[in-house]
Every structure is written in C-alpha cells, then in structure tokens.
C-alpha cells in the first residue's frame, strides 16, 4: 500500500501542523547535509517556525561566512531591492521637492541642522538612483521594441524579396515565350500572292 497524495495547503489542526513542520524540517536539514557531503558544497539553511523560532544548518563553513559570501555576490541585487523599498517610502519626486522646499525656504534656512541636510542629501541620492533605474528600464524596453521591429522588418523584407524573385521569373518566362513565338513566326515561309 502506497502513501496517500497530500494536498499542499495549510494544515488547520495545530498539533498536526507542528508535527508536520518538525518532520519536514528534519528531512530538509538531512537533504541539505546530504547535498553538502555528496557534492562538496557549502550549504546554509535557515528555517523560521510560525512561532518565530529560528532553526539553522550549515555545512563545512560556518553560517555567517556562507551568508557573507552570498551578500558579496548579490550585493547589486540587494542594493536594487533597497533602492526600490526606499522609493516606495519616499513617494514621488514632487513630494520630495515639496519636502526640500519646506525645509530650506525663507527663514528656515538658518535653522536647518546638519542632520537634516544629510537626510535631504540621502533623499536626493535615492531619488536619483530610482530615476536612473527607471530610465535604464525604459531604455531596455525601447531596445527590445526596436529589436522586435527590426525582426518584423527583416521578415517583411524577405517576403518582398521572394515576391520580386517570383515576379522576375514570371516576367522572364513571358519574355521567353514572346521571343520564341517571334522566332517561330520568322521561320515560317512567307508566301506572296502572285500578281496577274
């Protein structure tokens, strides 16, 4: 008798859910250990339970070293995610400009602290980074659209070239027929009527 197929959805019974979590967590850790031994790979595994308890496993290297290595290799991705999250927090550029204007206009200029200026500078740098990221994204989309147009134009060009080639062959065949008909008429004997 085989195992029954388990539907992947949240287990409603709390004690069953805890037992399943414990068994599957242990199985996952065992698979991670096997992967590290069989493939001589550095494996780091973090599992956080519903209650917030942290379980970790690392092979060979310690967990911190593996996570540091991951952070260094994916620093650009992490930085982009950070910029996106900051962009969501700061809102539009218009709101940012209003914030700067309220801080620096009129009599407030003399009362602005260095910390406020540093924060404003960070806001500007973030806004600039977000703007550059959006510009890059738009440029990449434009390049993709242009490549697609180029592909369509090449296909259309090939269709037109094949049509021209067919028309050229049909025209050449028609000329051959006309010239061959003219040659046949040249070869026919010409009879002149006799005059009495």
């Amino acid at each position: 008798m085989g195992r029954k197929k388990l539907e992947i959805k949240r287990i409603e019974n709390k004690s069953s859910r805890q037992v399943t979590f414990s068994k599957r967590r242990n199985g996952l850790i065992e698979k991670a250990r096997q992967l590290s031994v069989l493939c001589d790979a550095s494996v780091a595994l973090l599992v956080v339970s519903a209650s917030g308890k942290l379980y970790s496993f690392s092979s060979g290297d310690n967990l911190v070293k593996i996570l540091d290595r991951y952070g260094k290799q994916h620093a650009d991705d992490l930085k982009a995610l950070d910029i996106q999250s900051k962009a969501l927090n700061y809102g539009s550029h218009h709101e940012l400009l209003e914030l700067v204007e309220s801080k620096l206009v009129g009599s407030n200029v003399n009362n602005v602290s260095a910390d406020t200026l540093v924060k404003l500078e960070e806001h500007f740098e973030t806004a600039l980074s977000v703007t550059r990221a959006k510009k890059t994204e738009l440029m990449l989309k434009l390049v993709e659209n242009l490549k697609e147009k180029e592909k369509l134009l090449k296909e259309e060009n090939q269709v037109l070239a094949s049509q021209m080639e067919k028309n050229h062959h049909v025209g050449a065949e028609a000329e051959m027929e006309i010239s061959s008909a003219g040659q046949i008429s040249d070869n026919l004997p010409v009879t002149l009527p006799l005059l009495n």
Side-chain angles (χ1 to χ4, degrees):
M1 186 166 171
R3 294 182 182 175
K4 70 176 185 176
K5 180 82 172 170
L6 178 66
E7 185 179 350
I8 302 298
K9 66 175 188 175
R10 185 175 187 271
I11 300 171
E12 296 301 322
N13 185 329
K14 188 175 181 179
S15 62
S16 295
R17 187 170 55 239
Q18 182 59 38
V19 169
T20 301
F21 173 78
S22 179
K23 287 181 179 180
R24 289 192 174 230
R25 180 197 68 226
N26 291 338
L28 184 61
I29 290 172
E30 179 59 24
K31 289 292 183 184
R33 187 191 66 74
Q34 290 173 4
L35 178 66
S36 70
V37 170
L38 291 172
C39 302
D40 194 29
S42 295
V43 178
L45 176 66
L46 294 174
V47 179
V48 181
S49 70
S51 63
K53 189 171 180 185
L54 178 68
Y55 301 90
S56 64
F57 167 81
S58 63
S59 63
D61 296 338
N62 92 23
L63 185 66
V64 174
K65 286 182 182 177
I66 295 172
L67 293 176
D68 284 343
R69 191 175 337 145
Y70 176 84
K72 288 176 185 173
Q73 288 180 343
H74 298 285
D76 292 338
D77 296 338
L78 295 173
K79 186 176 179 182
L81 286 174
D82 185 46
I83 288 172
Q84 288 174 354
S85 67
K86 284 182 180 177
L88 293 174
N89 292 339
Y90 294 138
S92 70
H93 297 295
H94 183 69
E95 293 170 356
L96 180 62
L97 290 174
E98 286 177 357
L99 173 70
V100 171
E101 188 175 332
S102 70
K103 297 282 185 185
L104 297 178
V105 171
S107 62
N108 289 340
V109 166
N110 295 331
N111 297 334
V112 176
S113 68
D115 289 340
T116 304
L117 291 174
V118 168
K119 287 180 183 177
L120 288 174
E121 182 182 19
E122 289 174 1
H123 286 304
F124 275 126
E125 287 176 356
T126 301
L128 183 62
S129 297
V130 169
T131 303
R132 285 180 178 155
K134 286 181 182 178
K135 179 181 174 184
T136 302
E137 182 181 343
L138 289 173
M139 289 177 71
L140 290 174
K141 285 181 182 179
L142 178 64
V143 168
E144 287 300 316
N145 288 340
L146 290 173
K147 285 182 180 180
E148 188 64 31
K149 284 181 182 178
E150 178 187 23
K151 181 182 174 185
L152 292 173
L153 288 172
K154 282 183 179 181
E155 290 172 1
E156 186 178 342
N157 193 17
Q158 288 175 346
V159 168
L160 291 173
S162 66
Q163 287 177 351
M164 284 181 57
E165 191 174 314
K166 286 179 186 176
N167 290 342
H168 179 69
H169 286 301
V170 169
E173 289 175 4
E175 284 182 23
M176 292 178 108
E177 287 177 10
I178 292 172
S179 66
S180 63
Q183 289 176 354
I184 292 173
S185 63
D186 290 342
N187 293 338
L188 291 176
V190 177
T191 54
L192 295 173
L194 294 171
L195 295 174
N196 287 337

